[in-house]
Amino acid sequence: MNNRSSQHLKTMLFGEAKGQNPKLKTIGVDASRAVLAQRTGTEHYAASLLSALSRLPEAQQGRFTLYVNLTSKAIARERLAFSLPHAWRIRAIPFPRLWTHVRLSVEMATRPPDVLFVPSHVVPVWHPRRTVATIHDLGYLYYPQAHTRLSRLYLHLSTLFSAKAARRVIAISEATKRDLVGRCGIS
């Protein structure tokens, strides 16, 4: 994570200036991708970002909850492969299918954090007003042959929903930003 993106994410999660919000925020993170046994780019991004966040001075005292689709907190800790700050906790909430849309949504409706960070682009249907989402790419628009028709439809609808539902969107590249603005009408 470069210095500019690190500062941008810190501002979104912790506020504009140190001491701006005396009440410690609870920051929830969809860490389901970061703890997958087989990682691809999105999963590596999520795990690396969490590791970098855990080393920030602001995060040492922040109350983070990492939501995972696993049966055990111990498995999540092992797969993260870095030490969690003292105030961070893991919330293992397993569910067989549609975890983000069903199980994480129920969690957000019943016990929402002050801020939800989604590093893997799928914002749950029920989510806090203060939600930050990362959109990695819109590759399904450029390589439709790599996806089934149903997969393309799901990717398009979930990307549009996530980009519109999130209070802040992190586009990981200028190309993704251009696609979100030009092809999806997201500003």
Side-chain angles (χ1 to χ4, degrees):
M1 180 161 68
N2 69 35
N3 194 33
R4 183 173 169 232
S5 60
S6 173
Q7 186 60 44
H8 190 62
L9 183 58
K10 279 173 52 175
T11 299
M12 285 190 274
L13 294 178
F14 302 113
E16 294 297 325
K18 288 184 181 178
Q20 177 191 15
N21 188 353
K23 177 185 173 262
L24 283 179
K25 292 179 183 176
T26 301
I27 299 170
V29 180
D30 173 355
S32 61
R33 299 290 186 172
V35 297
L36 288 180
Q38 297 293 319
R39 290 183 181 165
T40 62
T42 301
E43 290 81 15
H44 282 292
Y45 167 83
S48 297
L49 192 64
L50 285 173
S51 177
L53 278 172
S54 75
R55 293 188 302 271
L56 294 175
E58 296 89 342
Q60 296 298 316
Q61 294 140 16
R63 295 179 305 172
F64 277 70
T65 300
L66 308 182
Y67 302 100
V68 297
N69 186 11
L70 294 171
T71 56
S72 158
K73 295 176 189 180
I75 294 170
R77 285 188 209 303
E78 179 182 310
R79 290 184 182 171
L80 285 170
F82 64 88
S83 297
L84 296 178
H86 179 70
W88 288 33
R89 67 185 189 100
I90 293 173
R91 179 104 168 94
I93 48 174
F95 201 73
R97 296 255 186 251
L98 299 171
W99 181 81
T100 302
H101 297 303
V102 178
R103 185 62 186 97
L104 188 56
S105 284
V106 168
E107 187 73 14
M108 294 299 104
T110 57
R111 287 186 281 238
D114 296 315
V115 178
L116 176 64
F117 175 48
V118 180
S120 58
H121 98 268
V122 181
V123 172
V125 175
W126 287 288
H127 56 276
R129 272 191 12 234
R130 294 180 180 167
T131 295
V132 178
T134 300
I135 307 290
H136 294 269
D137 64 48
L138 280 71
Y140 63 90
L141 295 175
Y142 295 98
Y143 300 101
Q145 69 279 9
H147 305 276
T148 65
R149 180 177 288 164
L150 185 59
S151 175
R152 282 193 315 271
L153 178 63
Y154 172 77
L155 286 168
H156 187 66
L157 293 176
S158 67
T159 300
L160 283 176
F161 172 77
S162 294
K164 290 181 179 184
R167 181 177 270 188
R168 302 274 190 224
V169 173
I170 299 169
I172 63 162
S173 68
E174 285 298 319
T176 298
K177 179 181 175 181
R178 281 192 306 272
D179 287 345
L180 285 169
V181 171
R183 299 191 76 172
C184 298
I186 306 300
S187 56

